[in-house]
Amino acid sequence: MQLKIFFSKTNTEKDTLIMTPEKRDKTKLLPISRLIIYLLLLFIIILVVSLSALISIYRQHKQTVAELKKSNEEYLATIKHLEAENTNHKDAISEYKETIAQYDEEAAAIRQKLIQIEELERKVNSLIDSKDSSMKLSRGGSFPVSSSLTQDLDKKIKSLDTLFTKVSTHIEQQRRIPLILPCIGRISSTFGYRPNPFTGKNKEFHRGVDIANKYGTPIYASADGIVTKSGWINGYGYTIIIDHGNGYETLYAHNSKLTVPVGTAVNRGDKIAEMGSSGRATGPHSHFEIRLNSQAINPFSLIVLAS
Ligand SMILES: [Zn+2]
């Protein structure tokens, strides 16, 4: 079918649309207003403009997609990079953690050493006579802070250990020297020549000191040592002898009762007997002798009486 438009020459006439199908005899003439033709043209123009606008939008869209794709790739690369960095950070953190753990261990060791030092200080101070405060270890000294702190602490511990051993040895030696009288009472006779207590005549040598008191007064060891005699000795009566292991021996005579057997390890101040008048005695008293290398010495050369 063919379509033809005939425009009229005057404005009053209508234009004509001729429709010519295949069969000629059925040709149709369709009068058509000019307005419709204009509208038709306008429609075609709008269609073309719209299409070109759509094409332009489509192109822009395509470009945007490409740009987004590109930036997405960039983002992915950045993420990869950050992930790698994160792994590095994780490694660094685990290293830090290890270092911190090492410091913790070192700190625990230092704390242990400080406890040892405190213990040693306490032990040394407990050994030193409380009156002699000049020898006491004072607290609060500052330890040198350096990378070799543990070495410094080790040195301090070693020196304290040596001091503790020295003080302990010294105190142990002191405790083995007879320095106290064995009982409370009245000094009735001293070391040296004296008249015979029974006859009052003929001077005799008194090998110890006599301390007089009541029957049963407790007799104490004058120093640390081992009991080597606990029994009767003619003249001395019921007697205790203690060997102090350093050349000193002490003898306690005329007891009424002996309370420690031979072989007993005694400390200064331990009860060893009770006062009596056994043996050659005129009344209840303790005859106390100190022997150095088997020779009787004046007990007051060692014993200082409290004023
Ligand atoms: Zn005597």
Side-chain angles (χ1 to χ4, degrees):
M1 191 175 76
Q2 287 181 337
L3 282 173
K4 280 178 184 169
I5 298 169
F6 289 92
F7 292 103
S8 73
K9 282 174 185 163
T10 61
N11 286 339
T12 50
E13 276 179 52
K14 282 194 170 182
D15 299 322
T16 312
L17 181 70
I18 301 169
M19 293 171 75
T20 313
E22 296 303 313
K23 290 177 183 175
R24 290 271 173 157
D25 55 332
K26 287 198 173 174
T27 299
K28 280 183 180 174
L29 294 175
L30 204 72
I32 189 166
S33 121
R34 189 162 285 183
L35 179 68
I36 287 171
I37 291 165
Y38 286 151
L39 282 173
L40 208 68
L41 280 170
L42 186 68
F43 172 72
I44 289 163
I45 288 161
I46 287 167
L47 198 73
V48 168
V49 168
S50 299
L51 265 174
S52 59
L54 273 174
I55 287 163
S56 167
I57 287 166
Y58 171 73
R59 278 184 182 156
Q60 271 181 10
H61 178 72
K62 210 176 169 185
Q63 201 185 341
T64 310
V65 166
E67 277 170 9
L68 282 173
K69 220 174 171 182
K70 201 183 168 190
S71 67
N72 193 36
E73 272 167 11
E74 278 172 9
Y75 281 135
L76 280 173
T78 309
I79 286 166
K80 242 183 180 174
H81 177 70
L82 285 174
E83 271 176 354
E85 239 174 48
N86 193 33
T87 311
N88 287 343
H89 286 158
K90 272 184 182 168
D91 286 350
I93 285 167
S94 69
E95 264 178 47
Y96 282 134
K97 274 184 180 170
E98 247 175 64
T99 311
I100 287 166
Q102 279 175 2
Y103 280 138
D104 275 351
E105 245 175 66
E106 210 169 313
I110 289 168
R111 269 198 295 276
Q112 193 55 42
K113 284 180 198 299
L114 285 171
I115 288 166
Q116 273 180 266
I117 286 173
E118 276 176 24
E119 179 66 17
L120 274 168
E121 281 181 347
R122 198 186 58 71
K123 276 159 87 180
V124 171
N125 277 336
S126 74
L127 290 177
I128 296 167
D129 184 359
S130 58
K131 285 175 187 169
D132 190 2
S133 59
S134 64
M135 273 184 79
K136 288 227 176 197
L137 291 167
S138 58
R139 297 300 324 281
S142 61
F143 295 111
V145 177
S146 69
S147 59
S148 59
L149 180 60
T150 49
Q151 285 177 5
D152 295 335
L153 287 171
D154 276 336
K155 275 185 199 164
K156 175 120 179 133
I157 286 171
K158 212 175 170 186
S159 73
L160 277 170
D161 224 1
T162 310
L163 177 63
F164 175 70
T165 309
K166 272 187 191 168
V167 173
S168 301
T169 309
H170 175 72
I171 284 171
E172 207 234 354
Q173 284 169 354
Q174 286 293 105
R175 290 187 61 87
R176 290 183 172 277
I177 297 169
L179 295 175
I180 64 162
L181 286 174
C183 61
I184 296 166
R186 176 178 60 86
I187 307 290
S188 57
S189 187
T190 53
F191 180 85
Y193 285 101
R194 65 171 187 184
N196 185 307
F198 290 94
T199 62
K201 295 173 188 172
N202 299 330
K203 281 191 173 178
E204 64 164 26
F205 192 78
H206 188 226
R207 295 161 65 87
V209 289
D210 291 343
I211 305 140
N213 206 333
K214 293 186 292 185
Y215 270 95
T217 299
I219 308 296
Y220 304 108
S222 182
D224 295 4
I226 306 286
V227 175
T228 53
K229 174 77 186 177
S230 179
W232 185 268
I233 299 175
N234 282 332
Y236 284 110
Y238 289 111
T239 303
I240 294 281
I241 296 175
I242 298 170
D243 183 0
H244 301 289
N246 48 5
Y248 285 106
E249 277 179 299
T250 47
L251 179 147
Y252 315 77
H254 309 308
N255 299 293
S256 60
K257 191 179 172 186
L258 306 175
T259 58
V260 283
V262 170
T264 307
V266 290
N267 291 322
R268 174 182 289 152
D270 284 354
K271 187 183 169 184
I272 52 171
E274 287 176 12
M275 191 179 282
S277 60
S278 59
R280 190 168 162 263
T282 53
H285 75 282
S286 180
H287 171 87
F288 175 58
E289 276 181 31
I290 297 176
R291 293 168 179 174
L292 179 59
N293 302 322
S294 303
Q295 291 291 313
I297 62 164
N298 185 352
F300 287 116
S301 65
L302 294 174
I303 290 163
V304 179
L305 290 171
S307 55

